[in-house]
Amino acid sequence: MKEIIQSRAFSLQTPSSDELDGIVAKIVHRCAGSLAAKAFGSMLSTRTTVHEWMDILAKSNICNDRTGILPVLKLSYDDLPSHMKQCFAFCAIFPKDYEIDVEHLIHLWMALDFVPLEEEDHPETAGEEIFRQVTWRSFFQEVKQSPPLNYEKKDGMLCNTTTCKIHDLMHDIALSVMGNDCLTVTDKINDKKSISDPTRHFLSCRVGTQLDGFMKKQPSTLQTLFCTDVDFLSHLSEYNSVRALHLPLNTRHQVKSRHLQSQHLRYLNLSGNNVITELPGEISMLYNLQTLDVSFCRGLRQLPKQMKYMTCLRHLYTHGCTSLTHMPPDIGQVASLQTLTYFVVGTSFNCSTVAELQNLNIGGQLVLDGLQNVDESQAKAASLGNKHKLTHLSLKWNSDANEVQDCHMKVLDGLKPHGGLHMLRVDSYKGSSLPSWMIDLSLLKHLTELHLIDCSECEVFPQFCHLKALQVLYLEKLDKLRSLCSDVTLMIFPALKELTLHDLESMERWVSGEGNDEVTFPIVEEISIENCPKLTSLPDAPKLKVINVNEGKAQLSLLAIVKATYTCLLSKLELSVGDKEATLELDPENHESPLTELSLGGCNFLFLSSPSQPTIGFWKSFGKLVNLEIKNCSGLMYWPEEVFHSLVSLKNLEIKSCNKLIGPAQVNGEPRPTADQVLPHLSIILIHNCGSLVELFSLPPSLRSIYIINCNKLERIWGKEDQFGTPCDGYASSSSVVEQSSAQANHPPPNLEFLKISFCGDFAALQNLPPSLKSLIIFECHELCSVSGQLGALESLAIHGCSKLRSLDSLGDLPSLECLSIERCKRLASLPGGGHGSYSALRKATVKYCPAIDMKPLYKLDQQRLDRLEVRHLSHAHSSDPHEGAKLREPKSWKYAIPRCQDWAIQRHRNP
């Protein structure tokens, strides 16, 4: 603790006297942990005299109060300048352990006037300094750079996202300071008082009538409205004072002009809303708006035409708006614009060209799409070379366009960026060579990521190994690329960490030239190779951790990968081989593999109907394997129990789309006796889309979760007769299989907590479920007739689309049940609990389209308890399923058919 305080306290100074150093020992006793030590040390770093240090020490002893907040931390907050107090206290709006996007947090501070400015200051720079100072004092923690998901996709975010969290103790300080001025409502909150008082900053992740009433009572002082899962558009026009607004992702209505009446609005976030097709033109009249985020609004076709009048707009997030066809005219007149993440060049007369970028000092990410609509003069006029704050640049042509190759090269040459670029992506470029600024590499010396995609006509490429700062290299559909480097003595990629090679039909060597293939990747950690049919070897990569190989023929030998000395750190291997005739090389030796994750696609040679010793010997290498995925393997016909005996560390098993998998191995056409339980540490098993599967293998007691999806022939999970009593009428199973199941006599996992079965058509009975079960989900099992077990620990029960299920009485009282969802079970006559359940723990209840069900157990609950349910959908309990259509003898059901008839008539009128 003393070392932490000293490192912070003396980071900006050296102790001016031994007395200062001596005070540290007294301070240590006031700190209850490293957080307090960091906060205390940061405070002392700006004090230089003994008197100031003693004053801080004295205050730390008297500032305690009834909140229980650690005095040192409260003192650290009191020591902040007033504007920093405001900025930090606002963060009480986020729930505890919430991952905060730092960039958007600064924009929220700006919207609420929390960032003081001096003349000619940029608010973003001032906000970043506030965040840095408050983080230094330990109010923010876990500050990290998160790479964008699926960066190779052509519509996503290119830049890393900076996020942070707030320690729970610091969050308590923010809450105590804000009081009623800030309110956060989550699903776990049950207290009505918490949403009864007016507030200034409001965030909600909750749905319900209580919240609807709260929104109606909010006064005109509400400034921040941040809701992620609530439809409140009907009240939105009443909040004229709102400055920061985040509309919910699942808003079911278009955003209309009447919803956006506040002229004070400075921050508007509509991101991720797939319903929005266009924004109201009145958004252009939000003259104070600073931030507009419509990222990943995939249905958005156009932006308001008059955006040129939004003179205060500084940040426009449009990445992921894949339906955008053009940018509004004169976008270059928005002189304050600092961020424009996606710019698509249209073909109409009334839209902006890339020349509009000339006078915009944008930074961060820029994606330029539709470059087939750009000529050389417009490209040069964009002046990308003058945009020194631009760090990530993506240049994309339409891959279907058939322009002259010279035109592509002239446009790319005209879009020459500045020399400080971090990431460059060129997509669907059809020039035969690259411009000089990409070949001589002098402009790319700071480049850390390079993506070249679908440059099918290009014959000349950069010398990739000369990019000394390059960390990520992604190459896809470069039809004429034959190697990464020219023939020199030794090629080293000193900084490369991720290498992706996809659809490189001509690449056959790492280095061009005969007899020299010495290329090394000293720190590369991930390599992905897909459809590179001529590449037969991996390079030297001593730090390699992840390999992904997807090929038609088994060119890269699996055994070579497992045995290679340079893969001693390898932890994950994804191997997909489509060749059904491929064989595995014989290998009498066992090589212990460090792999913990293995994903196999195809790879029939690893699962033979008559396993040979070499194959089993190969599996003995994987004693450290924790996760195993097998998919699209037609060679897997029976559970490979001999293989399973070798996987002593396996915890997660996934079997997907193995259509010939039946179950336990057979002898003379009959299931052979099941061996002892295997996979002693197995925790999760997922089986998806295995259409021939009848029965699982002998499951170990360690199992906690089972997912079985779309296995239409499944008859049982555990092979024991007393678990599947007498089948219901109309259900006939194979007598020979049933007799054998008695002989197997495997006990169910005693500690199973989660069971999900869905789209398993022949599954008829689920009996004697283990009492440890906490969650049971059954979807679309149309032959299921009975479910039984004393499930005293069950917390969540969902049964949908089980048309032959008649009763749930045999499940017991379910005293722990919190979430109940029963839908489309038309023969079900009773709720679980046999009419005796008290539902004392119930929080959410949904019963729909179960016309025969008895709802009395729920209705017997007193009205107050019913009102306390967070979710309650019971009004359609006895209704017929509208998706089944009208029935001639049931006139009440005709109403469900009328809309469809109308739709059909309209469609026929439009397309006669």
Side-chain angles (χ1 to χ4, degrees):
M1 203 78 66
K2 182 177 180 180
E3 290 76 11
I4 294 175
I5 295 174
Q6 287 177 325
S7 65
R8 290 288 182 111
F10 300 134
S11 62
L12 304 178
Q13 59 179 325
T14 55
S16 57
S17 69
D18 294 337
E19 194 172 358
L20 280 182
D21 191 44
I23 296 175
V24 174
K26 299 179 182 179
I27 293 175
V28 170
H29 296 291
R30 306 283 169 86
C31 299
S34 61
L35 177 65
K38 291 177 182 177
F40 221 142
S42 299
M43 270 193 297
L44 297 174
S45 65
T46 58
R47 270 72 174 181
T48 58
T49 67
V50 173
H51 176 75
E52 288 176 318
W53 279 47
M54 292 299 294
D55 184 52
I56 292 292
L57 184 62
K59 288 180 180 178
S60 69
N61 195 37
I62 62 174
C63 70
N64 202 356
D65 54 30
R66 292 177 296 176
T67 64
I69 293 173
L70 198 64
V72 171
L73 300 183
K74 182 60 167 64
L75 179 61
S76 182
Y77 172 80
D78 292 337
D79 189 58
L80 289 172
S82 59
H83 64 283
M84 291 187 186
K85 289 180 181 178
Q86 225 176 4
C87 289
F88 170 72
F90 168 76
C91 295
I93 194 174
F94 302 109
K96 286 187 176 180
D97 204 39
Y98 186 89
E99 195 164 65
I100 303 170
D101 186 311
V102 173
E103 186 170 318
H104 283 275
L105 176 62
I106 293 172
H107 296 166
L108 287 167
W109 288 344
M110 291 165 48
L112 297 166
D113 278 339
F114 292 165
V115 180
L117 293 176
E118 297 181 3
E119 191 174 354
E120 296 185 358
D121 271 358
H122 287 283
E124 294 83 5
T125 304
E128 290 168 3
E129 178 61 19
I130 291 173
F131 178 80
R132 191 187 68 80
Q133 289 288 342
V134 176
T135 301
W136 163 250
R137 296 169 184 252
S138 299
F139 288 92
F140 294 118
Q141 292 192 330
E142 298 183 45
V143 180
K144 61 181 181 180
Q145 295 280 324
S146 301
L149 296 176
N150 299 322
Y151 57 76
E152 70 273 19
K153 291 189 176 180
K154 301 162 181 60
D155 60 351
M157 192 70 177
L158 305 180
C159 300
N160 291 342
T161 301
T162 303
T163 60
C164 70
K165 290 186 177 181
I166 302 176
H167 193 282
D168 286 355
L169 295 175
M170 291 297 193
H171 194 275
D172 290 339
I173 292 176
L175 285 174
S176 69
V177 171
M178 293 299 288
N180 291 334
D181 283 347
C182 186
L183 176 61
T184 303
V185 179
T186 65
D187 266 343
K188 297 182 179 180
I189 291 182
N190 256 330
D191 185 7
K192 285 187 177 181
K193 290 177 64 178
S194 65
I195 57 173
S196 61
D197 300 324
T199 188
R200 297 170 69 86
H201 309 291
F202 178 66
L203 180 146
S204 173
C205 306
R206 186 179 179 187
V207 181
T209 54
Q210 291 179 5
L211 186 58
D212 186 64
F214 162 78
M215 298 301 293
K216 292 178 181 178
K217 297 177 182 178
Q218 283 306 297
S220 59
T221 56
L222 190 66
Q223 293 188 352
T224 306
L225 200 49
F226 195 105
C227 296
T228 57
D229 198 24
V230 178
D231 185 5
F232 57 89
L233 285 176
S234 57
H235 309 301
L236 195 55
S237 60
E238 302 171 14
Y239 312 132
N240 296 322
S241 60
V242 171
R243 293 189 172 199
L245 175 62
H246 186 162
L247 288 179
L249 297 179
N250 67 340
T251 300
R252 296 184 296 276
H253 309 290
Q254 290 283 354
V255 179
K256 304 295 184 182
S257 58
R258 65 177 183 275
H259 300 139
L260 303 172
Q261 298 292 325
S262 176
Q263 291 300 313
H264 299 286
L265 197 62
R266 299 183 180 182
Y267 176 96
L268 178 59
N269 192 330
L270 306 172
S271 60
N273 192 318
N274 291 326
V275 177
I276 298 175
T277 57
E278 60 180 327
L279 298 175
E282 285 78 5
I283 281 186
S284 301
M285 298 176 63
L286 298 174
Y287 301 124
N288 292 310
L289 195 67
Q290 298 172 347
T291 301
L292 175 59
D293 188 349
V294 291
S295 59
F296 297 104
C297 292
R298 300 190 184 278
L300 185 63
R301 295 191 295 266
Q302 61 182 10
L303 297 169
K305 295 180 180 179
Q306 303 300 321
M307 288 191 71
K308 63 182 179 181
Y309 297 117
M310 302 177 71
T311 55
C312 289
L313 190 65
R314 304 180 66 84
H315 305 284
L316 177 58
Y317 295 94
T318 48
H319 57 278
C321 296
T322 52
S323 297
L324 273 181
T325 58
H326 62 277
M327 301 303 290
D330 302 318
I331 194 71
Q333 294 185 26
V334 188
S336 298
L337 206 58
Q338 308 287 307
T339 303
L340 177 57
T341 56
Y342 178 69
F343 188 108
V344 57
V345 184
T347 57
S348 64
F349 174 76
N350 194 25
C351 65
S352 286
T353 68
V354 292
E356 292 287 341
L357 298 173
Q358 182 173 19
N359 297 317
L360 296 180
N361 190 22
I362 55 177
Q365 153 179 336
L366 174 62
V367 177
L368 291 180
D369 197 353
L371 291 178
Q372 69 276 3
N373 301 319
V374 176
D375 60 35
E376 181 182 6
S377 62
Q378 293 171 340
K380 291 182 177 179
S383 301
L384 295 189
N386 295 330
K387 306 187 190 312
H388 298 287
K389 294 192 294 184
L390 197 64
T391 58
H392 293 65
L393 177 63
S394 175
L395 306 173
K396 184 179 185 303
W397 285 257
N398 185 338
S399 59
D400 297 328
N402 191 24
E403 293 83 22
V404 180
Q405 293 180 355
D406 289 345
C407 178
H408 278 231
M409 184 172 180
K410 290 177 180 178
V411 170
L412 184 56
D413 192 31
L415 294 172
K416 177 181 176 180
H418 66 94
L421 207 62
H422 294 167
M423 185 266 195
L424 174 64
R425 183 172 68 194
V426 179
D427 192 341
S428 302
Y429 171 74
K430 300 305 178 184
S432 59
S433 61
L434 297 172
S436 59
W437 63 266
M438 287 189 67
I439 298 299
D440 63 21
L441 304 178
S442 61
L443 208 70
L444 305 178
K445 58 184 177 182
H446 298 294
L447 203 68
T448 59
E449 288 192 39
L450 176 61
H451 302 243
L452 299 180
I453 302 169
D454 195 18
C455 302
S456 55
E457 303 299 322
C458 196
E459 298 179 357
V460 180
F461 298 93
Q463 289 294 303
F464 300 110
C465 60
H466 292 168
L467 297 170
K468 301 303 182 183
L470 195 66
Q471 298 179 17
V472 176
L473 178 59
Y474 185 98
L475 306 177
E476 178 181 348
K477 294 183 180 179
L478 310 182
D479 294 347
K480 299 184 179 181
L481 178 69
R482 290 179 171 80
S483 64
L484 294 186
C485 307
S486 60
D487 188 11
V488 295
T489 304
L490 183 63
M491 288 297 167
I492 300 178
F493 289 76
L496 197 68
K497 294 182 179 180
E498 298 178 29
L499 174 63
T500 301
L501 308 176
H502 287 184
D503 300 310
L504 305 180
E505 297 181 356
S506 301
M507 184 171 172
E508 53 189 2
R509 301 178 59 84
W510 296 96
V511 180
S512 63
E514 293 295 330
N516 185 10
D517 210 9
E518 296 185 27
V519 56
T520 60
F521 300 88
I523 64 172
V524 75
E525 297 179 353
E526 297 184 27
I527 290 181
S528 177
I529 301 175
E530 293 188 11
N531 191 27
C532 299
K534 296 184 178 180
L535 193 62
T536 59
S537 65
L538 288 175
D540 187 9
K543 298 293 180 68
L544 192 60
K545 297 179 180 178
V546 178
I547 298 178
N548 181 316
V549 177
N550 187 339
E551 54 188 356
K553 299 286 185 179
Q555 299 290 339
L556 291 170
S557 169
L558 177 59
L559 283 175
I561 294 174
V562 173
K563 292 190 298 181
T565 56
Y566 57 76
T567 59
C568 59
L569 298 179
L570 190 65
S571 61
K572 181 178 180 179
L573 171 62
E574 297 180 12
L575 179 66
S576 181
V577 178
D579 184 5
K580 295 183 179 180
E581 304 300 324
T583 58
L584 186 67
E585 300 174 12
L586 297 179
D587 180 30
E589 300 180 14
N590 292 330
H591 302 272
E592 184 178 5
S593 170
L595 280 178
T596 58
E597 296 184 52
L598 177 61
S599 175
L600 301 173
C603 300
N604 292 339
F605 49 86
L606 292 178
F607 301 100
L608 305 178
S609 55
S610 299
S612 61
Q613 187 59 39
T615 302
I616 300 305
F618 164 80
W619 280 103
K620 289 182 179 180
S621 301
F622 297 111
K624 296 181 180 180
L625 202 64
V626 175
N627 302 314
L628 173 61
E629 179 188 38
I630 304 171
K631 56 187 178 181
N632 301 312
C633 181
S634 58
L636 181 62
M637 299 178 64
Y638 307 108
W639 291 116
E641 295 190 18
E642 294 85 354
V643 169
F644 286 169
H645 274 294
S646 302
L647 308 181
V648 294
S649 301
L650 197 70
K651 293 184 178 180
N652 305 311
L653 175 64
E654 295 187 26
I655 310 291
K656 299 179 180 179
S657 300
C658 296
N659 292 324
K660 293 186 178 181
L661 177 63
I662 298 173
Q666 298 187 358
V667 178
N668 298 325
E670 298 291 340
R672 71 183 182 188
T674 305
D676 295 336
Q677 287 178 333
V678 291
L679 307 178
H681 294 98
L682 189 66
S683 179
I684 299 174
I685 182 169
L686 185 150
I687 305 175
H688 186 191
N689 199 29
C690 295
S692 301
L693 183 65
V694 176
E695 182 181 341
L696 271 63
F697 58 93
S698 179
L699 301 175
S702 59
L703 199 63
R704 295 294 180 270
S705 301
I706 298 177
Y707 301 76
I708 304 177
I709 303 168
N710 197 24
C711 298
N712 288 326
K713 293 186 178 180
L714 183 69
E715 295 179 2
R716 57 197 156 273
I717 298 176
W718 300 282
K720 183 170 170 135
E721 59 180 353
D722 62 1
Q723 289 184 300
F724 293 94
T726 304
C728 63
D729 295 338
Y731 174 74
S733 60
S734 170
S735 59
S736 61
V737 174
V738 171
E739 290 172 2
Q740 286 295 332
S741 69
S742 298
Q744 292 170 13
N746 297 312
H747 293 284
N751 295 314
L752 190 69
E753 297 180 353
F754 182 96
L755 175 59
K756 178 177 180 179
I757 305 174
S758 59
F759 299 97
C760 295
D762 288 349
F763 202 75
L766 188 57
Q767 309 292 357
N768 294 339
L769 291 168
S772 57
L773 205 62
K774 292 183 179 180
S775 181
L776 175 61
I777 301 173
I778 307 174
F779 287 171
E780 306 297 334
C781 294
H782 301 295
E783 298 296 323
L784 184 67
C785 296
S786 61
V787 181
S788 70
Q790 297 301 308
L791 305 182
L794 195 69
E795 297 174 357
S796 178
L797 174 63
I799 302 180
H800 294 186
C802 297
S803 55
K804 290 190 177 181
L805 185 64
R806 296 180 180 273
S807 174
L808 294 173
D809 291 347
S810 55
L811 290 183
D813 292 343
L814 306 184
S816 303
L817 191 65
E818 297 181 4
C819 303
L820 173 66
S821 179
I822 309 290
E823 296 186 22
R824 295 180 289 107
C825 298
K826 60 184 179 183
R827 289 183 174 86
L828 186 62
S830 64
L831 288 168
H836 305 293
S838 63
Y839 302 110
S840 57
L842 198 64
R843 296 189 297 111
K844 301 179 181 181
T846 299
V847 182
K848 291 182 178 180
Y849 314 132
C850 301
I853 201 163
D854 180 9
M855 295 292 293
K856 290 181 181 178
L858 270 183
Y859 292 149
K860 284 181 180 178
L861 297 178
D862 58 84
Q863 191 61 42
Q864 185 177 4
R865 288 180 59 198
L866 280 176
D867 289 342
R868 280 207 306 267
L869 292 179
E870 295 175 10
V871 175
R872 183 182 65 189
H873 297 297
L874 307 177
S875 57
H876 293 286
H878 293 108
S879 301
S880 297
D881 185 356
H883 299 287
E884 290 188 355
K887 297 177 177 59
L888 186 61
R889 295 183 180 180
E890 299 179 14
K892 291 183 179 180
S893 69
W894 294 355
K895 62 182 179 181
Y896 297 120
I898 293 174
R900 277 197 287 271
C901 291
Q902 291 176 342
D903 292 343
W904 175 81
I906 293 172
Q907 187 68 24
R908 185 177 181 186
H909 176 73
R910 290 177 178 172
N911 303 292

